[in-house]
Amino acid sequence: MNDRDVLLQATSPRLTAPEAGAALILTVDTPVFHVSTSGAGAPAAVNFKATQINLPGTVQFSCSAGGVLSGSGNTRSLAYSAMSVQQVTVTATLLHDSGVTFTAQQVVNKVQDGANGVPGSNGTNGSSGRSARQCFTLIDGYALAFNPASVTVPGDTYPPVGTWGETRAWGAAINGAPAERQVWFQSSGSYDPVTNQTVWTTPFQSYAKFGSLEAISTKTGALTFSDTCKSANGNVVINSDGTFFLRSGASANRIEINAKGFYAFNGGAKPVIELGWPYE
């Protein structure tokens, strides 16, 4: 060891500048305590974390007056119960060997709900204060008259019986299922408190039981079937394969079309008219 080495070893340590990109970062999961009108705070605590980038050393934490931190290492917590003021500042510092001090801060606030406001006044009534009404009646059949288009009655009463051809009184609700070939009709009304009158409109079907289709006139358009179409007494039969049977009442007089031809019978087992193969 020479004299120069001895001198170098005896001197104080050299101060080196921080590395390029060195930084101290302080993060917090939320910077706000929400305080209800009753004074309850949420969340119960907020958490801080210090991150060192290319920066050796120990981080020191501090909090401004009115707040107390807990925790160790590079993490700290501030409980709502440990914050007695509206705002605190949490500071993280690190003194580098070069003498440079790195500092990072986060501000935490209490945000409190205000007191409930004075109840507002009632709004204005819509459409001159009119209110909707409805009523129902049961009819035998499926239709009522379309005229008149409306009827006006005093107060909140129902339409007079027979206004559209109905025979039963109107009521506030449907009180039973209709029988076959019966319909519950409904009328909509508008009550005006200024005139103290109700205007009822043309009724419409609300709930029906149609029963068999024989009670309805219908336009079927193209009607497709894959089996047999016949009358209830069996006097008329049309099969999907094109065969046809027509009988006059309970007698043996009949007309028959099948795959072999056209045949007409006059009470006997043999046809009196044959167009096609002999009937068997």
Side-chain angles (χ1 to χ4, degrees):
M1 179 179 294
N2 56 38
D3 294 340
R4 185 173 180 275
D5 291 335
V6 173
L7 290 174
L8 289 173
Q9 290 180 351
T11 61
S12 300
R14 292 183 178 182
L15 299 178
T16 58
E19 295 183 29
L24 176 63
I25 300 174
L26 180 63
T27 57
V28 60
D29 49 19
T30 175
V32 173
F33 284 113
H34 173 232
V35 185
S36 67
T37 54
S38 63
V46 295
N47 303 297
F48 302 86
K49 180 179 180 181
T51 302
Q52 298 166 244
I53 300 176
N54 295 332
L55 196 61
T58 302
V59 178
Q60 303 295 327
F61 284 86
S62 64
C63 185
S64 61
V68 178
L69 299 175
S70 62
S72 60
N74 278 18
T75 60
R76 294 291 188 276
S77 294
L78 172 65
Y80 172 74
S81 59
M83 181 175 170
S84 59
V85 294
Q86 290 298 114
Q87 183 183 87
V88 296
T89 300
V90 176
T91 303
T93 59
L94 188 149
L95 178 60
H96 189 261
D97 291 340
S98 65
V100 176
T101 299
F102 289 79
T103 303
Q105 291 183 324
Q106 289 285 354
V107 177
V108 179
N109 288 276
K110 289 181 179 178
V111 179
Q112 186 161 6
D113 293 337
N116 292 333
V118 178
S121 58
N122 293 331
T124 58
N125 292 326
S127 186
S128 302
R130 293 189 176 123
S131 56
R133 298 289 191 270
Q134 61 180 14
C135 62
F136 304 85
T137 190
L138 180 66
I139 74 162
D140 299 318
Y142 300 105
L144 288 176
F146 291 106
N147 291 313
S150 65
V151 61
T152 302
V153 298
D156 198 16
T157 58
Y158 297 129
V161 176
T163 300
W164 294 282
E166 70 279 12
T167 59
R168 295 181 180 89
W170 294 86
I174 293 174
N175 56 20
E180 188 173 318
R181 301 183 181 87
Q182 284 188 328
V183 175
W184 278 101
F185 267 80
Q186 176 180 340
S187 177
S188 299
S190 176
Y191 172 71
D192 188 341
V194 176
T195 61
N196 191 30
Q197 292 179 325
T198 302
V199 178
W200 296 100
T201 60
T202 305
F204 55 91
Q205 288 186 355
S206 179
Y207 180 16
K209 184 174 182 180
F210 292 102
S212 60
L213 289 175
E214 64 184 358
I216 305 174
S217 296
T218 180
K219 296 180 180 180
T220 64
L223 181 62
T224 302
F225 65 95
S226 59
D227 196 347
T228 298
C229 180
K230 66 179 180 179
S231 62
N233 57 15
N235 287 343
V236 179
V237 178
I238 303 174
N239 296 304
S240 60
D241 62 3
T243 58
F244 174 81
F245 179 92
L246 175 63
R247 183 172 63 190
S248 176
S251 70
N253 299 330
R254 68 185 190 276
I255 295 173
E256 187 174 329
I257 299 175
N258 56 41
K260 292 185 177 182
F262 173 87
Y263 307 94
F265 297 82
N266 186 14
K270 293 293 184 178
V272 295
I273 299 175
E274 288 183 307
L275 297 177
W277 294 93
Y279 187 83
E280 296 179 358

